[in-house]
Amino acid sequence: MKGKVPLSIIYLGRRGGGAKTALQICEELVNSENFAITSIGIRGDNEIFKEYDQSKVINLFDRLISLGTIKKIIEYFFSPTKLLGALHISSNGFCLVPMISPLGLVIEGMLKARGIKVIRLLHDYEKHPGDSWPPNFLTRRIVKKSSFLIALSEDVASKIRKQNPQIIVSIYPHPPFGFSKSQINVKFAPRYILFVGRIRKYKGVENLIAAFTKLEINDTELVIAGEGKLRVKSNSRIKYINRWLKEEEISGLIENASVVVFPYIEASQSGILPYCVSINKKIVITPLPGLIEQTSSSANAFKTADLTIDALATSLDIALKAEVDSTKFQPKFKNIEVCLLEIGIFPIK
């Protein structure tokens, strides 16, 4: 701790990519030469609460909406020193936010009012079609008011710089998540194409279904796994797991799949894609800058010619017939410590 910059980490969402990114950052900073984590402020209902370093965890709120949460917010508002004390942050301290959340923004505002420097990771510059958070006006305001940000891709970083040419932006390429393993018994055909993740309009799942039905293959199924609304017609060759998936289910489905497909019609990056690249899985992506950037080190990534259904069907067919290239990939990996140093706000000697 001596000589290191004290750093608090706050993530007040509950689950998904934000929770995993927060955990990844905490693990990267454990052996940092320049920073020491003083506290990890999360919610009690964080789905991976127990995976964080419990000696550093501060349960700021039990859940998003409750009487207890409202009482704590009021208490912190009228007595900010209690918030600083809970997070072990001194005046003019530093706080890292792996992903913005509605509740987190409230706390971040209180910290900034007390002179705390808040460092945010900005995952996307524009709201995904069909999503409500974060609204575009909020993202634009954050970019306009910030002197520094950390982006997860060059695609997002370039849009940030275009809006605010004076801002300092460091790029933290989305790290491959470490998913829990299991001996999952896959009850599908020996070969299957997989889409896995939350089902949202911008992810192009309906295009994937249409493309799959164009393929003349009888020994391969399509598996769509994830939580979300989807209007579909019955097809014996298409299987659905329509719910929130456990980590071991995600890893099991990916490792047993013949091809994992990311048919997005809009995206800055994907949290699951780096994991697929890291295990040399055959991947089909649409030609979006963020996805291309994430797969540049993969010998098994097949990019569609455009966003049409026919182009997607063609790439799926090519990927299924291709042999896996076992060439060791060179991942674009940058430790979060390097990103923090690049923004140049810390008193590092």
Side-chain angles (χ1 to χ4, degrees), residues 188-340:
F188 308 117
R191 294 207 317 165
Y192 63 89
I193 297 167
L194 174 68
F195 169 87
V196 61
R198 289 190 299 170
I199 297 170
R200 295 291 185 269
K201 182 179 179 180
Y202 73 91
K203 294 190 176 181
V205 179
E206 292 182 359
N207 285 354
L208 171 59
I209 293 171
F212 177 75
T213 58
K214 286 177 171 287
L215 300 178
E216 296 181 359
I217 47 175
N218 297 318
D219 63 342
T220 304
E221 293 181 345
L222 171 63
V223 177
I224 297 175
E227 181 185 67
K229 296 180 180 179
L230 185 64
R231 285 185 244 175
V232 296
K233 294 181 180 179
S234 178
N235 187 318
S236 61
R237 293 171 53 229
I238 303 178
K239 309 298 182 184
Y240 301 95
I241 307 175
N242 193 207
R243 56 178 170 77
W244 188 264
L245 300 171
K246 297 178 181 179
E247 282 191 18
E248 55 268 25
E249 291 179 299
I250 294 173
S251 62
L253 286 166
I254 291 173
E255 290 176 18
N256 287 288
S258 300
V259 176
V260 184
V261 59
F262 298 82
Y264 297 3
I265 56 178
E266 189 276 338
S268 300
Q269 75 274 315
S270 163
I272 292 175
L273 190 48
Y275 174 74
C276 295
V277 172
S278 73
I279 62 172
N280 273 343
K281 182 59 60 175
K282 287 195 291 184
I283 304 160
V284 170
I285 63 166
T286 47
L288 299 173
L291 303 187
I292 294 172
E293 185 178 337
Q294 284 188 296
T295 56
S296 62
S297 62
S298 173
N300 297 297
F302 299 84
K303 182 183 69 174
T304 66
D306 50 48
L307 297 177
T308 63
I309 292 170
D310 285 341
L312 182 56
T314 298
S315 291
L316 287 173
D317 188 51
I318 293 172
L320 283 169
K321 294 174 180 176
E323 295 293 327
V324 174
D325 188 332
S326 59
T327 303
K328 292 293 184 181
F329 73 100
Q330 297 297 321
K332 288 185 175 180
F333 182 77
K334 184 197 286 185
N335 191 288
I336 191 66
E337 179 174 14
V338 176
C339 296
L340 291 171

Side-chain angles (χ1 to χ4, degrees), residues 17 27 32 53 81 86 103 121 134 156 164 213 241 311 326 342:
E27 292 175 344
S32 170
D53 181 351
T81 54
L103 185 55
L121 270 71
V156 172
N164 183 355
T213 58
I241 307 175
S326 59
E342 284 180 349

